[in-house]
Amino acid sequence: MLTCLLAVLAALLLPVGAAQAAPVAEDCVGVTEGRYAGTFTTAGQTRCLELPSPQGARIAALTSLGGAGVTVGVEVVDRNGTAQCTAGVLSRGGCALTGAAPFRALVRADNGTATGPYGVHFVRTDVLQKDCRVLPAGNFADDEAAVELWTGDGVFSHCLTIPADAHSTAELLRIRYGVPDDTKLFPRYAMSLVDTDGNGPPSCYDHPAQGQQLRTDGLTSCSFTAGKAYTVLLQGQDEVRKHTVVRRDVTSTAKGCAASAATAIGAPATTGTSGKVGTLRCHRFTTAAATDRLHINPRDVHDGTNVLVMDNNGGIACHQRTWACNTTGSTGYQVVTQVPENFYLPASYGIDAWRIATAAGPAPECTRVASVAYGYGPLTGTLDGQRTGVCAVLPSVSGDQFRLLSTSTATDGSPGPQPALYDNAGRNLCTVTSSSSSWYDCQGVDQGLLVLSLQDWSHHSVYRAELTCTNAPCGSENVSVGTVTPDTAQSGTVATLTVQGTALGMSTTVKLTGGPAPLTATTVSVSDDAKTLKATVDLRSAPAGHWGITVNALNQDYPRGTLTVTPPPAPGLGTYKPIAPTRLMDTREGLGVPKAKVGAAGTVTLQVAGTAGIPSTGVTAVVLNVTATEPTAGSFVSVFPTGTVRSAASNLNFTAGQTIPNLVVVPVVNGKVSFYNHAGSVHLIADVAGYYTTDGSGSSYQPIAPTRLMDTREGLGVPKAKVGAAGTVTLQVAGTAGIPSTGVTAVVLNVTATEPTAGSFVSVFPTGTVRSAASNLNFTAGQTIPNLVVVPVVNGKVSFYNHAGSVHLIADV
C-alpha cells in the first residue's frame, strides 16, 4: 500500500515487530477511538488495550515521534492472539481487522527500560470521523483555506478529512512546519493519506526543493479517485509545534491559476510577483494539441524560483526545479511557482512557455539549416525581454559530435546565452565542459533543435555562438567533389573558382599545379547547403598555360581537370561595336543574377560575353546603362571587372528611395562584370548598349564640340511639343552638327528629361528597329535628370520613347 510521507532525513517508519500472544482478557483496558493516555510503571511492560472497532473495520494507531512521554510501538492482534497489523501499517492507517473481535492493541516502549506516560491515537479510517477536521480546498490566490494544527501538552497527532464530493482528481498538499526556537529535539513529522473503502491510499509524490535539509515547507502531489473520501493522518511530536496544511486543485480546473497560451520561441516571458518565501503562484499555459512539446523555464535575477508542472489531469509533467523542462501529452499545463526557504527571494520572475515542436516537427519559426557538415554559425545577436531566444533545426544524425562555444560580446558584464540541443523527446544533449560555462559538448541526433536562450538569472545578452562538428563531416552527406569552373581564366587577374560537391567546408582548398610554383586558392565562401564553394586564385603573375586542379577536402585529394590560363589582355579597349539596347540584368526579376536586392557590402556578378549579341571571346569592355531603384539607404554602386580588386570609385550615387541611372564603360575579365553596393539594399538593372573589341571590327570614336541637336521645348530637331505617354520622336543625326552623313555607326548623346508630368522612363534606340525593354532615363514627376547615352544609328536617325505622362526631351551630341 503506497503512502504519501512528508519525512525529514529518514523514512520515519515506526519499529515493526512480530505479534505476541495476547494477555488474558482481564489484563486489557477497554479504550475508545481517539487519543488514549497511559503510563508504564515498570520497565519492560506491555500494555493491552481492547479496541471498540468491529471486524472488517480499518484503523490507524498514531504514536509520538519524540518529545514528552515515552515513545512506543504498537501492534494489533485479535482475541485469539492472531496478528493483525504491525506498527508500520498502523501508522499509515491501513490496518484491516479481519480476525475475531475483540481486537487488542499491544503497546510497548521503544526503549525497553523506559517508564512514564505514553499515548496512542486510534482513528477509524474506513469511515470519516466527526472528530477529524475537514481540510477545505484552497485557492492559489490566497491561503485562507489553510488548517493550523498544534502539538504539545500530550497532543502529538491529528486527523483531517477530505469529503468525497470536495476534491478534484489531482491535488497539491502543502505542509509548513513551525521550527521551534529550542534545539533540544530534532523536528520530525509524517503525513499519510488513506481512502475510506480500503482500496489503498492515493498515489502521492513528495517534491523536495534543492538543499532542503529540514522539511519546513513541503509539497506533495496526490492523485484522487472521484467519489472517494479520504483521511489525512499527521503524526508528530509531543512538543509545542505548529503544522499548517492546505490543499489545492492542480488539474485544468485549478482555482486562482492565471491562464495564457504558449508562445513562439523567443517571445516575451509571462511575469509574476514572488510574494513571500514559500508563496505559491499558479500559471496555466495552453497549447493547440496534446502532441505539442512545450519548453517551460523559470527565470529571475537570483535563479531562486522553483516550478512544479502538472498536466490537464494533474499528472506530474516536471518535478520541482529551477531550470527548464520539456513536456508533451497535454493541451494545458499548470505551472506552480515557489521560492522555498534557503533561496534568495526575487521581487518578480518570468516564465518562458515556448511551443518548441508540434506533431509536424520543430517550431516553424526556427531556422532550417541546410548543412552541419562542419558545424553551424557563428550566430551573433542580442537577447532581451522582447527577444528571449533563437532557434535552429539542424540536419544532424545520430553519432554526430559537436563542440559549442557560447560567449558574450558585451562590455557590460552580461553573460552569453544558455545553449541547448534537444532531441525529439525533449532531452538536452549539451553538457558544460569548462568552468567558465562557455564550452559545451553536444551529441547529435536526427534533426536536432538548437536553442539559445537567456540565462536563468539574466535579462540581457549580446552574444556569439558557434557549433563545430568534431567528427566531420556531420549530417547525412559524405564529402564529394564534382566540377570546378571556369576552365579558362586570364593571366593578370584574380580568378574566382567555383567547386560543386557535397559536404564542402571553409577548410576545403583548391590547388593549381603545372607552373613555376603551385598556387593555392583562398576559400572565400561556402553555400549554406555545403554544395558550392568559391575560392579566389591570384593569376596576376601566373604564366599562360595549362594548370592542374586538385581539391583537398578533409585531407583527401580530388584531381579535377585543368585550368587554362590565357595570355593577359592587349593594352587599350580597341574599337566599339554598338548593338540594339538590351536588358541583361534585373535583380527584381532574377534576370542574369539571383532574384534579390543587393545587400550592404554585397556583390553580384553578371555574365556578359556570349549574351545579347556580344561575342563570347575578344570582348574588352561593355557599355552599360546601370539603374539603381528602391534603395533602402543612401549608398553608391561600383561596377568593376570580375576577378580584379575593386577600387573606391563609384558609378552611381543615390539617396534612400531614389531611382537613378548612369552610363558605365567597364572592362570585361573572363566574360563577366561585377556590381558592388555599399550600404542598405537596392535593386539593380543593367542595359547593354555595345561592347569594345580588339579584333579590329569595331568603330573608332570621333569627338566633336558638344552641340544641342534636339529640344522639344523649342521645336529644335523635332516638333515643338512634349512627348506623350507611349509616344516616340525621331531625330536626324547624320549630316548635322559636323556629324558625317554616312559611315556613322553610333552617336554619344547627353539626353535630359525635364518637366515630366508623371514618373516614367525614356528609351533611346536605333530608328526602324524593335524597341527593347531597356531604359536610358528614369525619373519622377517634376524631376529634371540627364544621362549619357551611346545609341546605334540606323539610316542616319535615332528615336526617343516615353513610357508614361508627358515630358520635354533635350539631346546634346
Side-chain angles (χ1 to χ4, degrees), residues 515-810:
L519 300 176
T520 300
T522 300
T523 301
V524 294
S525 68
V526 177
S527 61
D528 289 341
D529 60 5
K531 294 182 178 180
T532 302
L533 177 147
K534 290 188 179 296
T536 58
V537 59
D538 190 347
L539 302 177
R540 286 176 291 186
S541 59
H546 299 291
W547 295 71
I549 303 173
T550 300
V551 179
N552 182 280
L554 295 179
N555 299 317
Q556 178 70 40
D557 285 337
Y558 299 85
R560 286 298 176 267
T562 59
L563 175 70
T564 300
V565 178
T566 60
L573 294 178
T575 54
Y576 180 68
K577 296 277 287 190
I579 60 175
T582 305
R583 183 147 295 173
L584 295 186
M585 180 180 80
D586 192 335
T587 62
R588 301 171 303 179
E589 301 176 2
L591 176 63
V593 294
K595 183 179 180 179
K597 281 186 170 182
V598 183
T603 300
V604 293
T605 296
L606 176 67
Q607 178 73 39
V608 293
T611 64
I614 303 171
S616 57
T617 60
V619 176
T620 57
V622 287
V623 178
L624 301 174
N625 192 63
V626 181
T627 303
T629 189
E630 301 178 28
T632 61
S635 180
F636 67 84
V637 164
S638 294
V639 188
F640 61 100
T642 301
T644 65
V645 178
R646 178 182 59 83
S647 72
S650 65
N651 300 96
L652 272 175
N653 295 72
F654 45 83
T655 58
Q658 185 180 22
T659 297
I660 187 170
N662 198 20
L663 194 71
V664 175
V665 180
V666 57
V668 174
V669 173
N670 296 326
K672 300 175 183 178
V673 294
S674 295
F675 302 75
Y676 165 85
N677 173 46
H678 176 64
S681 61
V682 64
H683 277 304
L684 296 178
I685 305 163
D687 302 318
V688 65
Y691 63 90
Y692 286 87
T693 178
T694 56
D695 65 4
S697 64
S699 303
S700 61
Y701 175 68
Q702 294 291 326
I704 62 174
T707 304
R708 182 148 297 174
L709 297 185
M710 181 181 79
D711 191 335
T712 61
R713 299 172 302 178
E714 301 176 0
L716 177 63
V718 294
K720 182 180 179 180
K722 281 186 171 181
V723 184
T728 301
V729 293
T730 297
L731 176 67
Q732 177 72 37
V733 293
T736 64
I739 302 171
S741 58
T742 60
V744 177
T745 57
V747 288
V748 180
L749 302 174
N750 192 66
V751 180
T752 302
T754 187
E755 302 178 27
T757 61
S760 180
F761 67 84
V762 165
S763 294
V764 188
F765 61 100
T767 302
T769 66
V770 177
R771 180 182 58 82
S772 71
S775 64
N776 299 94
L777 274 174
N778 297 73
F779 45 82
T780 57
Q783 185 181 23
T784 296
I785 187 171
N787 195 20
L788 196 67
V789 175
V790 181
V791 57
V793 174
V794 174
N795 296 323
K797 300 176 182 179
V798 294
S799 296
F800 301 77
Y801 165 85
N802 173 46
H803 177 65
S806 62
V807 64
H808 277 303
L809 296 178
I810 305 164

Side-chain angles (χ1 to χ4, degrees), residues 39-385:
T39 301
F40 290 119
T41 56
T42 60
Q45 278 186 299
T46 296
R47 291 297 190 185
C48 177
L49 307 178
E50 189 167 293
L51 305 175
S53 308
Q55 184 185 42
R58 281 183 296 109
I59 65 170
L62 308 178
T63 62
S64 176
L65 299 180
V70 178
T71 58
V72 299
V74 181
E75 57 184 323
V76 173
V77 299
D78 69 1
R79 71 182 181 188
N80 300 318
T82 303
Q84 299 292 291
C85 304
T86 60
V89 176
L90 285 163
S91 68
R92 297 191 295 270
C95 177
L97 303 177
T98 58
F103 298 93
R104 298 161 184 169
L106 306 180
V107 184
R108 302 180 184 86
D110 283 350
N111 181 343
T113 62
T115 59
Y118 68 91
V120 182
H121 184 185
F122 296 102
V123 182
R124 281 279 297 273
T125 60
D126 56 326
V127 292
L128 292 185
Q129 301 296 304
K130 64 180 180 180
D131 292 337
C132 298
R133 295 172 59 183
V134 172
L135 177 60
N139 187 317
F140 281 104
D142 55 59
D143 278 347
E144 291 180 359
V147 172
E148 289 186 357
L149 304 173
W150 287 88
T151 58
D153 296 329
V155 176
F156 50 81
S157 60
H158 290 276
C159 62
L160 299 167
T161 62
I162 301 176
D165 59 352
H167 62 76
S168 70
T169 56
E171 302 209 348
L172 183 68
L173 279 70
R174 179 187 180 195
I175 181 166
R176 283 166 287 170
Y177 181 89
V179 179
D181 293 334
D182 65 83
T183 57
K184 65 181 181 181
L185 181 68
F186 192 84
R188 297 176 67 191
Y189 68 88
M191 188 171 69
S192 302
L193 282 84
V194 61
D195 64 12
T196 54
D197 63 8
N199 291 330
S203 175
C204 295
Y205 195 94
D206 287 348
H207 302 284
Q210 291 179 316
Q212 279 191 340
Q213 299 301 316
L214 177 64
R215 295 297 304 281
T216 60
D217 192 342
L219 299 178
T220 298
S221 55
C222 295
S223 298
F224 295 126
T225 301
K228 281 189 180 183
Y230 293 88
T231 298
V232 182
L233 303 173
L234 176 69
Q235 196 173 10
Q237 298 168 314
D238 188 1
E239 288 289 338
V240 179
R241 305 282 190 266
K242 182 174 78 169
H243 306 73
T244 305
V245 184
V246 64
R247 65 182 176 92
R248 295 178 176 89
D249 180 9
V250 287
T251 69
S252 60
T253 59
K255 294 180 180 180
C257 198
S260 58
T263 68
I265 297 176
T270 297
T271 59
T273 55
S274 301
K276 296 182 291 187
V277 169
T279 298
L280 297 182
R281 302 278 194 238
C282 183
H283 300 267
R284 174 169 166 78
F285 295 103
T286 59
T287 189
T291 50
D292 293 349
R293 180 171 293 281
L294 300 192
H295 165 102
I296 297 172
N297 186 37
R299 293 188 289 108
D300 65 64
V301 295
H302 298 310
D303 194 19
T305 301
N306 282 236
V307 293
L308 175 63
V309 184
M310 311 291 185
D311 62 21
N312 273 345
N313 298 321
I316 303 169
C318 297
H319 294 286
Q320 188 166 350
R321 55 172 61 180
T322 61
W323 62 96
C325 76
N326 286 278
T327 184
T328 188
S330 181
T331 57
Y333 300 90
Q334 291 66 250
V335 180
V336 178
T337 67
Q338 183 191 51
V339 179
E341 291 190 24
N342 303 322
F343 284 76
Y344 288 106
L345 179 69
S348 62
Y349 58 86
I351 301 176
D352 296 323
W354 299 337
R355 185 184 298 104
I356 64 173
T358 67
E365 65 268 20
C366 299
T367 301
R368 265 54 183 176
V369 178
S371 173
V372 289
Y374 298 88
Y376 175 55
L379 304 175
T380 59
T382 300
L383 300 180
D384 53 29

